[in-house]
Amino acid sequence: MPQQPTAQVTAAEISRIAGVTRATVSNWRRRHDDFPEPSSGTESSPLYDLETVRAWLATRGHASAASPAEELRTMLRLHGRGGSGAGGDSVELLLLVLAAARHSPGDLGATAGLSDADLAAQAERDRAGVADAVPGSGADTARFTAEDAAVLRALYACVREEGGQAALGVLAEWELEDSAASGAYRTPEPLADLIAALVPGTPARVLDPACGSGSLLAAASRRGARELYGQDLLPVQARRSAVSLMLAAPEATVTVRADDSLRADAFPELLADAVLSNPPYGIRDWGHDELAYDPRWAYGVPARAESELAWVQHALAHLTPGGHAVLLLPPATAGRASGRRVRAELVRSGALRAVVALPVGASMPLHVGLQIWVLQRPEPGGADRKSVLFVDTAEVPQGSGTAGSDGTGHRSTRGGSRSATLDWDEIRGRALGAWRAFTENPDTFEDESGLARAVGVVDLLDEVVDLTPARLVRASRTEADPAELWAEVDATRRDLVGAAKALGRAAAYEGWGAAGAAAREWRTATVSDLARGGALTLLRTVLETARGRGGGEDGGGAAADRPVLTGSDIARSSGPTGDAQKLGGATVPVIVTGDVLVRAVASGGGPMARVASEEEADVLLGTQVHLFRPDPARLDAWFLAGFLGAEDNIAGASTGSTVLNVSPGRLRVPLLPLEEQRRYGEAFRRVHELRAEAARATRLAGDTARLLAGGLTGGQLLPSRGAGGGGGGKGTATRSRGGDSRH
């Protein structure tokens, strides 16, 4: 296979390999006479010989700073495309990820010592062992050679150190980069879990006709599904989904096909217990003309502009009677005039059970508040369905959690995620609480003011059949009891006053001052260096499927009744909110007082790090949190947390374009005496206290303002007669006048 005589890298790639910023590389070029000379390129974009750069970095302790995923990404680019083996189609590399994930860490580590020829032979044996597992693979698949050794070593190392899902994400991103596909992105894991949880019971057979990377099917597997069927238009996504599901759900039967589900259904006879899907939006060329007489359109032929309603009916056609379909759809589907007749028939037949409005930024496209539609295929002779549930979570207060904080943490391939600022625990609680109450007995469901309302079928079948939750739920706000609303407002306001006082006390601390004429400088060491020297221990939760084994170094698998600390909890400065059941038989460290906890995904607001308090002792570590356990005789915990969580430090140790994954070994820490560390540590502890009090006050201020505004516009609260000049009125007067204004 043709290759460059020597691998060459850019300055940006040197920065990623070394775990520093590009500005640092520029400084090295200016300040160090022995820095390697460019081997080619231009003056503005020089290229450097990779091995020469590695040798230079090794003399300065940066040789192993790059994360395994970043190393794999670099090797793929340098190896090129268009040939055989690792440089051609990525099918064989996807197969190799699946095979490698089934090896023990020891076996994977042993590949580092093999010669290039032996490594290629080992990879070929691994690939052949799973050759029938991925769509598009077969006997004519290209074989590995010794020329592929650099990529193969990087892939094995990535699987060993970061798990198969991390390697899989890099490969999918690499293949999507040069494709004509657009709109390829992962459904955020909290949203995928919510969609799966809206299916009552435990469906055994689940289909996703637009499966993408397999996020929704993986969520179904976490709820017990054992037959997973997927189809996607993009072959790379179908392959990625197949391997990802085999890694995440090794006990499930996985069947994934590549083709257009609407035009070329790969499972025409399949009847599933549940269908979950996040289909493509706004597609006009979905097959309207050639599918005009398709038997799937039992509720009416979708208009050319209504591809979403075609997906809805495709999902219903693949359900057993009584089975549920849950789809993520754009808000226009609920009210667009061209879809009125189909919507009316979905409501009239009882197929539509609920519509849940999500906040803006829950998933791509980020500027749109998407909706979840819950549907159920009618059963012959089943009970009449007299109402539809509407839930509006769009006004849930924002937090500082990360979209992927409890998920796989892999890089998105397209687009970012404003869901980094959403309180997914609150969204999930509100949506599932209302849905479960409604499914228990729709006829006795009690509306929740401003959140959920069951609307009769007759009331929905007007001339527009507008199914927008905000419009329908808002009508229930006038039914809230004025006295109850005032009591809630008063309690929240009192909490806000207390939080404001605490914030003032935290802000009054003055234990810091100017450094002088110039900023202080110090020598630093990477976390990898400190760990090798015994100054700290780095721990993380490792899912069983990532290593091919269960059990844990701190006592084995997760206990189902123990709390789990997540990245969202760190960002919100809250207690543990994670679900231990999601950890399965993972290797799960147990947090002890004084541990330093750092979020593994550098996105969203809120702090990146904190020190475990006594309240967090014996809590389980979530999958997207790095745990640093310092030797107290050598490192102060708050000093360590302050520098590890610094913005510049996180940026230099992160990889990715839209979702930044923190490589813990690349974080850097100043080398200071313990006494001086403690002074810094106290200052950082005060900063943490200030940030936490400010976040609490901000949240309570938002809650108070929301309740007051809602009460005033809904008629439950009235301004005092003396409020025109800005003065406040008495609560008793507001309550009595609020009661008089209900009608």
Side-chain angles (χ1 to χ4, degrees), residues 185 208-210 216 277-281 307-308 311-312 326-330:
Y185 56 88
D208 184 349
L216 293 176
S277 191
N278 178 1
Y281 310 145
S307 63
E308 295 83 10
W311 286 105
V312 165
V326 186
L327 286 81
L328 185 67
L329 300 172

Side-chain angles (χ1 to χ4, degrees), residues 8-335:
Q8 298 183 338
V9 291
T10 65
E13 286 167 335
I14 294 174
S15 70
R16 291 194 291 268
I17 292 170
V20 298
T21 65
R22 294 182 65 176
T24 300
V25 175
S26 297
N27 288 334
W28 286 344
R29 293 170 57 190
R30 291 193 302 267
R31 296 171 56 185
H32 297 286
D33 294 337
D34 60 341
F35 188 84
E37 291 292 331
S39 56
S40 63
T42 64
E43 184 175 348
S44 59
S45 300
L47 294 175
Y48 301 86
D49 178 77
L50 175 60
E51 295 308 317
T52 303
V53 169
R54 287 191 187 281
W56 188 88
L57 291 173
T59 65
R60 285 160 174 78
H62 292 287
S64 60
S67 70
E70 189 60 47
E71 179 77 6
L72 175 59
R73 187 174 292 112
T74 299
M75 290 300 103
L76 286 169
R77 189 199 70 79
L78 295 176
H79 204 64
R81 301 176 187 270
S84 62
D89 195 306
S90 68
V91 177
E92 61 275 10
L93 289 177
L94 291 172
L95 286 168
L96 188 56
V97 170
L98 178 61
R102 296 175 178 177
H103 285 310
S104 69
D107 289 342
L108 292 174
T111 61
L114 296 177
S115 67
D116 290 355
D118 289 343
L119 180 63
Q122 176 67 54
E124 182 59 29
R125 289 193 296 270
D126 287 343
R127 184 205 65 79
V130 292
D132 297 329
V134 177
S137 60
D140 59 344
T141 301
R143 299 298 191 259
F144 298 122
T145 69
E147 294 178 330
D148 303 319
V151 172
L152 298 177
R153 290 186 202 283
L155 186 145
Y156 278 117
C158 185
V159 173
R160 181 179 186 274
E161 296 300 324
E162 300 188 35
Q165 295 286 5
L168 187 62
V170 173
L171 291 176
E173 164 198 303
W174 176 61
E175 186 162 333
L176 282 168
E177 277 180 354
D178 289 346
S179 74
S182 61
Y185 56 88
R186 290 181 68 89
T187 302
E189 186 172 300
L191 176 55
D193 285 337
L194 172 58
I195 290 173
L198 287 167
V199 177
T202 304
R205 180 182 297 178
V206 180
L207 166 70
D208 184 349
C211 62
S213 59
S215 299
L216 293 176
L217 291 173
S221 73
R222 290 192 288 271
R223 295 187 58 80
R226 285 298 171 259
E227 291 184 46
L228 306 175
Y229 297 86
Q231 186 170 351
D232 197 87
L233 176 64
L234 299 177
V236 59
Q237 290 289 67
R239 297 164 189 162
R240 176 188 187 182
S241 180
V243 175
S244 178
L245 291 171
M246 291 174 191
L247 293 174
E251 298 178 359
T253 300
V254 176
T255 307
V256 182
R257 297 290 180 263
D259 216 328
D260 185 338
S261 289
L262 294 182
R263 285 189 170 96
D265 189 355
F267 310 104
E269 306 300 324
L270 175 66
L271 292 180
D273 302 315
V275 175
L276 310 178
S277 191
N278 178 1
Y281 310 145
I283 306 298
R284 298 184 68 85
D285 183 24
W286 57 268
H288 173 270
D289 294 337
E290 60 262 44
L291 299 175
Y293 299 101
D294 196 287
R296 287 173 291 182
W297 315 146
Y299 303 89
V301 179
R304 191 181 302 276
E306 296 293 343
S307 63
E308 295 83 10
L309 291 177
W311 286 105
V312 165
Q313 295 190 74
H314 177 83
L316 285 167
H318 274 291
L319 289 172
T320 59
H324 286 76
V326 186
L327 286 81
L328 185 67
L329 300 172
T333 310

Side-chain angles (χ1 to χ4, degrees), residues 493-509 689-690 693-694 696-698 700:
R493 184 187 59 81
R494 291 177 184 274
D495 289 342
L496 174 59
V497 171
K501 292 179 179 178
L503 176 59
R505 290 192 295 270
Y509 178 75
E689 179 182 337
L690 176 63
E693 293 296 347
R696 177 169 171 256
T698 299
L700 288 169

